[in-house]
Amino acid sequence: MSEICVECFEKITGERNIEKNFIISDELDLCEECGEFKHVIIAEKGFPMLFIRLFLFPFKLIYHIFYGLLSFFLSLPKICKNKKVNKREEEPK
């Protein structure tokens, strides 16, 4: 994104209240449109990751629960087989 001051951006796009939708620089910088040193727009504010994480949390929780249960039940035959083999080895002949 080019570095344009708030006033020039409002002239170009016709938008108002840009401060809540864009990140504006703390220091003065050269505006590429008017050529003056002003506070410029650095980037557009993205969608907050917190909302995405809160939305995905129940799905991740359900996935981990089912994955844990599935891996436990699939490993049961191996566990039972190993116990039988160990019991046979311990029995005296």
Side-chain angles (χ1 to χ4, degrees), residues 75-92:
S75 65
L76 276 179
K78 291 180 183 178
I79 294 170
C80 293
K81 184 179 179 183
N82 287 339
K83 285 188 177 182
K84 288 180 184 177
V85 170
N86 290 341
K87 284 183 180 179
R88 288 181 191 164
E89 291 175 357
E90 291 176 0
E91 293 176 2

Side-chain angles (χ1 to χ4, degrees), residues 30-44:
L30 183 64
C31 174
E32 295 179 4
E33 188 70 25
C34 63
E36 297 179 14
F37 282 96
K38 296 182 179 180
H39 296 283
V40 295
I41 298 172
I42 297 173
E44 187 174 2

Side-chain angles (χ1 to χ4, degrees), residues 49-92:
M49 290 300 295
L50 178 63
F51 292 123
I52 294 172
R53 288 181 181 159
L54 289 176
F55 175 75
L56 292 178
F57 177 73
F59 298 106
K60 288 175 68 175
L61 182 67
I62 291 169
Y63 165 76
H64 287 295
I65 290 171
F66 280 123
Y67 182 77
L69 289 173
L70 181 67
S71 62
F72 174 73
F73 286 119
L74 289 177
S75 65
L76 276 179
K78 291 180 183 178
I79 294 170
C80 293
K81 184 179 179 183
N82 287 339
K83 285 188 177 182
K84 288 180 184 177
V85 170
N86 290 341
K87 284 183 180 179
R88 288 181 191 164
E89 291 175 357
E90 291 176 0
E91 293 176 2

